[in-house]
Amino acid sequence: MAQKLTKRSEDYSKWYNELVVRADLAENSAVRGSMVIKPYGFAIWEKMQAELDRMFKETGHENAYFPLFIPKSFFSREASHVEGFAKECAVVTHYRLKNDDEGKGVVVDPDARLEEELIVRPTSETIIWDTYKNWIQSYRDLPLKINQWANVVRWEMRTRLFLRTAEFLWQEGHTAHATREEAIEEAETMLGIYSDFAENFMAIPVIQGLKTESERFAGAEETYCIEAMMQDGKALQAGTSHFLGQNFAKAFDVKYASKEGKEEYVWATSWGVSTRLMGALVMTHSDDQGLVLPPNLAPYQVVIVPIYKGQEQLDQISEKVNEIQSRLRAKGIRVKFDNRDTHKPGWKFAEYELKGVPLRIAMGPRDMENNTVELARRDTLSKEVVSVDGLEDQVATLLEEIQTNLLTKAKAFRESHSYKSDDWDDFKTKIEAGGFVWAHWDGSSETEEKIKAETKATIRCIPLNQQQEEGKCVYTGAPSKGRVIFAKAY
């Protein structure tokens, strides 16, 4: 634990990679571009999963599971969809191995070629809509609101733990509706759920918006998104919700009989977030000492470390700690008592600082005499000695304060790194410095692509509910009706 992390100011990318590995979140696997999510990292993902799953079910969604393999022909039915994913697909061509005749190990059996290749799911719209045509016959079957928790494969060439890997975990919702208006309302509702989760559980402020045509999900009529700012000033797309129109319903012939007896195509949405959120969590709050976790998602919110000499002192402290643990758990607080005798207290302090545990409690012989403990906050690195009496109430209050403080701090950072720009040279300077640049855009994909080519910045979103503001495009000088957000991004 003694080796310090690379400082963020020296090499942000190296700091991130070191932190993910050393905090026991994940590591690279033997499969190029894929990762192993370690127990501590997976415990955080499980907390995310549990809260999102609750929010989905509260809004009428049900969980199901669909196949990992998708017939290649399915992708040909929706032209823009196959074009959007064609370069990222892993393809299964054979179903059997055999021993090499020359004793050189295992080889693919050439006689076991599949009649039709199977695509390892990069996303599930095609297989799900082929299924929905059997589930939907009349208006009584609508709306159909299904979510699945799954893994997907997108063959990325440049990978980074959590942020971009060949295989990752996610949830994907797929819904069918009787009307266009219902589907749009669903897409916007799910965007609101993602925004709520990001801010109230992850303590990450996000901006809700629409993607430009060139940045839309393949096969969507509109893509809604939430965009977050990381500590290096880059944007990270933290969640998307898509209004798919009737594209997939027509491609897979999914119709319903209306109340009037007329046959209509259904209207569709899809929406998802992934383990990329883990990367967002790390990069939004953590510091040069290690992870900083919001209490709402921390695997354990409090860790108690005993300071003792000899078994007798440990037994005395343990008895008191067991009482404290019971009171904390009665308050719904997740607590761990680290009474391992294989590591010294100082080592444990450093470990839990690195792992971002929100509150640390230390108790030694003097604390036993004085009926006190030392409380250390991870977010501010402050310490105070407090009475054991009423400790559970004080800890509950502190956890709420830490959660609020992290969101407030992240909002302040975003605001201090957000700028308006109306001049091209000024725009380039601000983009290079990092942050969100609010600038006018003439609405053309050609201008968008030229700005990207010259600055590596993309339009992160067209913010929802913003006031119209007449202006001139920062690049072409052509008329514009409002500002969009430009930034470099992950």
Side-chain angles (χ1 to χ4, degrees):
M1 306 300 295
Q3 184 183 353
K4 290 186 177 181
L5 292 167
T6 297
K7 290 184 178 180
R8 291 165 294 168
S9 58
E10 293 175 359
D11 190 330
Y12 192 82
S13 179
K14 188 177 179 182
W15 165 82
Y16 173 82
N17 291 331
E18 287 179 358
L19 180 51
V20 168
V21 172
R22 288 181 54 196
D24 278 339
L25 299 180
E27 63 187 28
N28 290 304
S29 78
V31 180
R32 185 190 174 280
S34 296
M35 64 178 169
V36 174
I37 304 175
K38 299 183 76 173
Y40 191 63
F42 201 79
I44 299 170
W45 174 244
E46 284 180 316
K47 286 297 297 177
M48 293 181 173
Q49 197 175 22
E51 295 300 341
L52 283 166
D53 201 63
R54 175 186 59 79
M55 295 167 91
F56 297 159
K57 287 172 179 172
E58 284 179 354
T59 45
H61 300 85
E62 297 179 291
N63 286 336
Y65 186 79
F66 297 87
L68 173 67
F69 301 116
I70 302 172
K72 185 181 71 174
S73 58
F74 282 20
F75 280 82
S76 302
R77 299 191 197 178
E78 215 291 326
S80 60
H81 189 67
V82 69
E83 184 179 350
F85 284 100
K87 295 179 181 179
E88 300 177 344
C89 289
V91 185
V92 179
T93 58
H94 292 74
Y95 61 85
R96 188 169 60 222
L97 300 173
K98 69 174 186 176
N99 287 318
D100 181 58
D101 294 337
E102 299 178 3
K104 296 180 179 179
V106 176
V107 296
V108 174
D109 186 343
D111 296 328
R113 187 173 185 89
L114 293 169
E115 289 185 18
E116 180 180 4
E117 292 94 341
L118 298 173
I119 310 302
V120 182
R121 121 183 108 212
T123 183
S124 298
E125 276 77 8
T126 56
I127 192 75
I128 286 176
W129 281 92
D130 181 71
T131 305
Y132 280 4
K133 73 182 177 187
N134 301 318
W135 293 4
I136 298 170
Q137 276 79 45
S138 86
Y139 69 91
R140 297 181 183 88
D141 302 318
L142 299 172
L144 181 61
K145 301 166 77 174
I146 301 294
N147 173 67
Q148 82 161 339
W149 293 95
N151 60 338
V152 292
V153 171
R154 296 180 185 174
W155 212 256
E156 301 282 0
M157 299 308 293
R158 296 191 181 109
T159 59
R160 184 181 296 184
L161 294 170
F162 291 121
L163 297 176
R164 198 172 292 277
T165 49
E167 178 192 9
F168 54 90
L169 306 182
W170 78 347
Q171 59 73 212
E172 50 180 321
H174 299 269
T175 68
H177 304 267
T179 68
R180 177 188 184 92
E181 292 72 25
E182 283 181 20
I184 291 174
E185 182 181 1
E186 164 77 5
E188 292 177 347
T189 295
M190 299 319 295
L191 187 75
I193 285 176
Y194 289 153
S195 180
D196 181 10
F197 175 75
E199 299 206 347
N200 294 317
F201 288 90
M202 299 182 70
I204 297 177
V206 294
I207 295 173
Q208 298 184 35
L210 286 168
K211 287 293 188 183
T212 61
E213 183 178 356
S214 64
E215 293 284 334
R216 279 180 202 149
F217 176 76
E221 288 192 20
E222 289 286 6
T223 289
Y224 299 81
C225 63
I226 53 173
E227 295 288 328
M229 184 187 292
M230 304 296 97
Q231 290 181 60
D232 61 350
K234 286 185 178 179
L236 188 139
Q237 180 179 286
T240 51
S241 180
H242 315 289
F243 168 57
L244 302 177
Q246 295 178 312
N247 294 341
F248 286 92
K250 290 178 178 177
F252 289 88
D253 199 32
V254 184
K255 299 176 182 177
Y256 75 100
S258 69
K259 289 181 180 179
E260 295 74 30
K262 187 178 179 182
E263 203 170 51
E264 305 272 7
Y265 285 107
V266 300
W267 297 83
T269 77
S270 66
W271 29 271
V273 294
S274 74
T275 38
R276 169 174 263 234
L277 290 180
M278 293 286 292
L281 197 68
V282 172
M283 291 195 293
T284 301
H285 303 303
S286 303
D287 57 25
D288 291 346
Q289 283 71 45
L291 283 179
V292 177
L293 294 177
N296 287 352
L297 293 178
Y300 31 88
Q301 298 162 309
V302 178
V303 64
I304 304 175
V305 178
I307 301 171
Y308 63 94
K309 289 181 180 179
Q311 189 64 41
E312 184 179 348
Q313 281 189 357
L314 177 58
D315 291 343
Q316 292 172 350
I317 292 171
S318 296
E319 186 177 345
K320 188 68 174 177
V321 168
N322 288 336
E323 176 199 327
I324 292 171
Q325 281 192 105
S326 297
R327 286 158 47 196
L328 291 173
R329 285 172 178 157
K331 281 275 188 181
I333 295 165
R334 299 184 294 279
V335 57
K336 174 182 178 178
F337 177 35
D338 188 347
N339 59 355
R340 292 175 295 171
D341 60 6
T342 52
H343 297 88
K344 293 182 178 180
W347 191 96
K348 294 177 184 179
F349 291 172
E351 178 185 34
Y352 294 119
E353 190 172 90
L354 178 67
K355 288 190 169 185
V357 178
L359 273 178
R360 186 183 75 233
I361 295 175
M363 174 173 269
R366 185 176 298 175
D367 294 301
M368 289 285 291
E369 292 174 11
N370 299 330
N371 197 41
T372 60
V373 294
E374 181 188 74
L375 269 180
R377 285 177 58 156
R378 179 61 186 89
D379 61 331
T380 60
L381 298 175
S382 61
K383 300 175 185 178
E384 61 177 326
V385 175
V386 301
S387 173
V388 170
D389 298 331
L391 180 63
E392 63 274 23
D393 293 324
Q394 187 165 0
V395 166
T397 298
L398 278 175
L399 291 173
E400 290 179 5
E401 285 182 15
I402 293 169
Q403 185 76 29
T404 300
N405 180 50
L406 290 178
L407 179 59
T408 301
K409 186 177 178 181
K411 281 182 177 178
F413 180 87
R414 187 185 68 186
E415 293 309 309
S416 66
H417 291 78
S418 295
Y419 318 95
K420 285 186 176 180
S421 183
D422 297 305
D423 173 79
W424 179 238
D425 288 333
D426 176 68
F427 177 89
K428 288 188 289 185
T429 299
K430 286 183 167 62
I431 285 291
E432 189 59 33
F436 287 175
V437 180
W438 295 65
H440 283 281
W441 165 58
D442 63 17
S444 77
S445 296
E446 182 182 1
T447 298
E448 184 181 8
E449 188 56 40
K450 286 180 178 178
I451 292 174
K452 181 179 178 180
E454 290 191 33
T455 66
K456 297 183 180 178
T458 54
I459 297 175
R460 301 315 306 157
C461 69
I462 304 166
L464 294 178
N465 305 320
Q466 68 164 329
Q467 292 182 340
Q468 279 204 334
E469 177 189 329
E470 300 289 335
K472 294 182 179 179
C473 175
V474 72
Y475 187 82
T476 65
S480 162
K481 293 184 178 180
R483 295 181 187 271
V484 298
I485 299 174
F486 289 88
K488 293 182 180 180
Y490 285 95

